[in-house]
Amino acid sequence: MHYNENADREQATTSAGQPVFRVVFPKSRKGEVTARPVKTDPTYKYVEELMRLVFEVVFEDPKPFVEVLKSIPIPKTW
């Protein structure tokens, strides 16, 4: 879920609107200098949505969720 929410983050910019890059020296290129874009900070909005779902929907009426859980086939153990 974290990846899905943060996969397409935009490139960070300075207060003047210029894109931000960082300099890296990857071993795969034998230390040759490479500039990579810096992404914006990740978000965690999915956590709030999960908490809302659990506490406002599931706890209010758990019966439909329990029925669905019981309908999931569980394989026998050896």
Side-chain angles (χ1 to χ4, degrees), residues 1-57:
M1 294 171 86
H2 178 76
Y3 176 80
N4 291 341
E5 183 172 319
N6 293 292
D8 294 326
R9 289 184 290 154
E10 295 187 11
Q11 185 173 0
T13 57
T14 63
S15 58
Q18 297 294 321
V20 178
F21 292 90
R22 65 184 166 124
V23 177
V24 293
F25 301 90
K27 290 182 180 179
S28 62
R29 296 189 180 254
K30 298 182 180 177
E32 185 177 323
V33 178
T34 306
R36 290 191 181 162
V38 175
K39 301 288 185 172
T40 56
D41 291 334
T43 58
Y44 301 95
K45 295 176 187 170
Y46 68 95
V47 174
E48 293 174 11
E49 179 60 24
L50 280 175
M51 296 296 283
R52 186 199 66 74
L53 178 68
V54 168
F55 289 111
E56 294 178 8
V57 178

Side-chain angles (χ1 to χ4, degrees), residues 45-78:
K45 295 176 187 170
Y46 68 95
V47 174
E48 293 174 11
E49 179 60 24
L50 280 175
M51 296 296 283
R52 186 199 66 74
L53 178 68
V54 168
F55 289 111
E56 294 178 8
V57 178
V58 176
F59 281 175
E60 293 293 319
D61 184 22
K63 189 174 182 177
F65 299 99
V66 172
E67 291 173 2
V68 170
L69 282 174
K70 288 182 179 180
S71 70
I72 297 173
I74 299 172
K76 300 259 183 206
T77 58
W78 294 91

